[in-house]
Amino acid sequence: MREITVQDLAERIAKGEKPYLLDVRQKWEHELARLAGSKLLPLDELPSRTAEIEAGKDELVVCYCHHGVRSLHAAIVLGAAGFEDAVSLRGGIDAWSRLVDPSVPRY
């Protein structure tokens, strides 16, 4: 399964790329800490709601969660649904907070 590091994602965003950011955590987690511009679609609802993802099947879709476990499952679900470039954010939002943007709350 493909993953992207928080550093690679930060570089892509800094260059002006706009990957589709998909938060697969629960609503309370998303409200506490999130990546700007991300869409919330909890992992347990993802299989029945993939049609709501507003990204092309060949666009980069970065799934993220707290530490990177749920997002790995989400990338598999999306790959099976035809999203060819769905990846998991290695280390999740916790790694993003620790290594890229300490203003994002840790929990």
Side-chain angles (χ1 to χ4, degrees), residues 9-75:
L9 178 59
E11 287 174 20
R12 288 171 180 250
I13 292 171
K15 289 179 190 174
E17 291 183 34
K18 296 183 188 305
Y20 189 88
L21 302 173
L22 184 65
D23 185 347
V24 297
R25 299 172 300 152
Q26 295 300 310
K27 184 178 180 184
W28 71 267
E29 292 175 288
H30 183 77
E31 290 172 353
L32 183 64
R34 66 185 162 273
L35 298 178
S38 62
K39 173 167 175 65
L40 174 65
L41 190 51
L43 179 60
D44 60 342
E45 299 174 22
L46 184 60
S48 64
R49 296 178 58 192
T50 58
E52 296 177 33
I53 297 173
E54 299 167 345
K57 297 287 186 176
D58 59 347
E59 288 182 55
L60 178 62
V61 177
V62 178
C63 305
Y64 75 94
C65 60
H66 191 193
H67 289 115
V69 177
R70 286 174 281 180
S71 58
L72 280 171
H73 293 284

